[in-house]
Amino acid sequence: MAMLNQYLTPLPFIAILRGITPEESIPVVEILIELGFRIIEVPLNSSKPLDSIAAIAKRFGGHLLIGAGTVLSVDDVTRVHNAGGQLIVMPHSDGAVIGAAKRLNMICTPGITTPTEGFAALAAGADGLKLFPAELLAPPVVKALRAVFSSDTIMIPVGGIAPDALAGFWKAGATAFGLGSALYRPGMTLADMRDNAATFVRSMGSLPHR
């Protein structure tokens, strides 16, 4: 978990670039780096996701943790690794996928909704828990989950996270946030994406330090 924390400490955000193309990826990531982002996720149901991951890893690999979301199989893990990805993000929790990621020394954050899923994922080697969908796991639920997991368990709400939602989840014990369509959507201008990212950064900056 220390390695994942290394990338979350400067700014506790994961940029989820669902639908991004390889051509868009470099200018988008340049802006995100400028604003302090250090973790980039390209979901596998994007256009040519492995090409985007490879391009980002080649250009920024020394400065970022880059990998894939919506990873559903062991074969997906291998393909992401071969493209230069270091991060596996899942919408579900599957011990076989977690194990495949860890054998390749990749960071893995499976999706969980219940304590049973969460403890099983950590036992399988997960580096953190993606709390998904966050629309279902409201701050009171996150607070209840935080009470039963160890204090160093990384918990990352994902799904419908907007700038005004950060404070409630942060107070409840969230470690970080996965930012999706409120940050980036296919077809948006770079200026709009920059404005979205800057709004998230300002909102995070107003929250108490831990």
Side-chain angles (χ1 to χ4, degrees), residues 4 7-8 11-17 32 37-42 65 67-68 87 89 107 109 129-130 154 156-158 176-180 183:
L4 179 55
Y7 292 97
L8 289 172
L11 185 68
F13 291 149
I14 298 173
I16 304 170
L17 306 181
L32 292 172
F37 286 73
R38 291 296 177 265
I39 306 181
I40 305 295
E41 170 193 333
V42 179
L65 178 62
L87 171 69
V89 182
I107 291 173
T109 59
L129 303 177
K130 171 184 172 178
I154 295 174
I156 309 168
V158 180
F177 303 90
L179 309 182
L183 173 68

Side-chain angles (χ1 to χ4, degrees), residues 149-185:
F149 285 91
S150 65
S151 60
D152 62 348
T153 300
I154 295 174
M155 293 187 174
I156 309 168
V158 180
I161 299 294
D164 60 3
L166 299 181
F169 282 108
W170 190 249
K171 183 178 179 180
T175 313
F177 303 90
L179 309 182
S181 60
L183 173 68
Y184 168 86
R185 295 182 306 278

Side-chain angles (χ1 to χ4, degrees), residues 26-93:
I26 297 303
V28 166
V29 172
E30 284 178 335
I31 291 171
L32 292 172
I33 289 175
E34 176 188 334
L35 292 172
F37 286 73
R38 291 296 177 265
I39 306 181
I40 305 295
E41 170 193 333
V42 179
L44 291 184
N45 54 357
S46 302
S47 175
K48 299 181 180 178
L50 297 176
D51 290 346
S52 292
I53 291 169
I56 295 167
K58 182 177 180 180
R59 180 74 173 269
F60 306 110
H63 306 284
L64 292 175
L65 178 62
I66 170 67
T70 319
V71 178
L72 303 178
S73 71
V74 170
D75 287 344
D76 285 343
V77 173
T78 302
R79 285 191 285 268
V80 173
H81 181 265
N82 290 343
Q86 301 170 291
L87 171 69
I88 295 296
V89 182
M90 305 154 60
H92 67 316
S93 184

